[in-house]
Amino acid sequence: MVSDIRITNTGSLIELQRRLRAAGHENIRASMQRRLRHAAEPLRDELQSAIRGLDISSQGRRGRPGGPSPTTRPLRATIAEAIRISVRTTGNPGAKVWLDKGRLPADMKSGRSDMATAINTGRIRHPVYGNKRRWVQQNATPLWWDATVRKGRPRMEREAARVLDDVRRRLE
């Protein structure tokens, strides 16, 4: 799974960072940061929408009765809320859309049970209600993260280039 999408370390961003620092224009830097975040928001929104609408299916219980869920948290909504945007105008400048695993519950982010990665592969294998002796497999549309990023990246890059051109013009 592509863990994040970044528009960073381009020559234009580094050159603008130096010019901003030399010029001392904090309002231009704040505007640039706000506009880069705004350029990344549609991609974040698309990723959140993609996971919320993702179909996860199983083979069914084959006649066995189900039980109550051991948790009340909704899986897809929890993952959607962990998708974040980071923007930096200093050091390593750029915009990044990423899945913040620190915002996921411990059982969704640890080792083999990294749920976001498992869902992106399209195969989710987990114990039935925590019973480690009984496992099931559920299936999802594979590569939902990768496909959404691939679709949204050109727009994000175009908007970032437009922001950089505007800032460059203001500095001249």
Side-chain angles (χ1 to χ4, degrees):
M1 174 172 138
V2 176
S3 61
D4 56 33
I5 170 139
R6 300 173 192 217
I7 308 289
T8 59
N9 276 340
T10 66
S12 297
L13 280 171
I14 293 171
E15 178 251 330
L16 272 179
Q17 171 201 7
R18 286 187 193 123
R19 289 175 63 187
L20 279 170
R21 194 177 303 129
H25 290 290
E26 282 301 317
N27 58 343
I28 295 175
R29 184 180 300 178
S31 172
M32 179 177 143
Q33 185 171 6
R34 184 180 64 251
R35 290 181 65 198
L36 283 173
R37 175 174 292 281
H38 185 69
E41 285 173 353
L43 180 58
R44 181 208 50 207
D45 295 344
E46 287 172 12
L47 285 164
Q48 288 176 333
S49 179
I51 187 64
R52 283 187 175 115
L54 191 66
D55 182 39
I56 299 176
S57 61
S58 67
Q59 296 172 350
R61 294 189 298 263
R62 291 182 231 136
R64 285 178 238 142
S69 174
T71 178
T72 59
R73 69 173 181 266
L75 172 68
R76 290 174 279 243
T78 302
I79 293 173
E81 291 303 314
I83 297 173
R84 295 283 192 234
I85 299 173
S86 296
V87 176
R88 292 180 57 166
T89 57
T90 60
N92 186 12
K96 174 172 111 170
V97 178
W98 56 293
L99 181 71
D100 183 0
K101 291 186 181 178
R103 300 212 23 122
L104 294 175
D107 61 336
M108 281 191 196
K109 63 181 175 183
S110 62
R112 292 185 298 151
S113 65
D114 179 355
M115 191 57 73
T117 302
I119 291 174
N120 194 53
T121 65
R123 181 175 177 249
I124 309 154
R125 187 166 151 69
H126 62 90
V128 177
Y129 298 117
N131 180 353
K132 302 281 186 185
R133 289 180 279 161
R134 183 138 186 265
W135 289 72
V136 294
Q137 177 178 314
Q138 291 180 288
N139 301 308
T141 305
L143 304 177
W144 67 272
W145 177 278
D146 300 353
T148 307
V149 166
R150 208 172 8 265
K151 189 177 95 181
R153 185 180 187 138
R155 182 182 58 229
M156 185 175 163
E157 288 175 339
R158 280 192 309 273
E159 184 60 29
R162 188 176 10 257
V163 169
L164 296 177
D165 288 343
D166 290 349
V167 170
R168 193 176 293 113
R169 273 193 298 272
R170 285 178 69 183
L171 287 173
E172 292 173 351

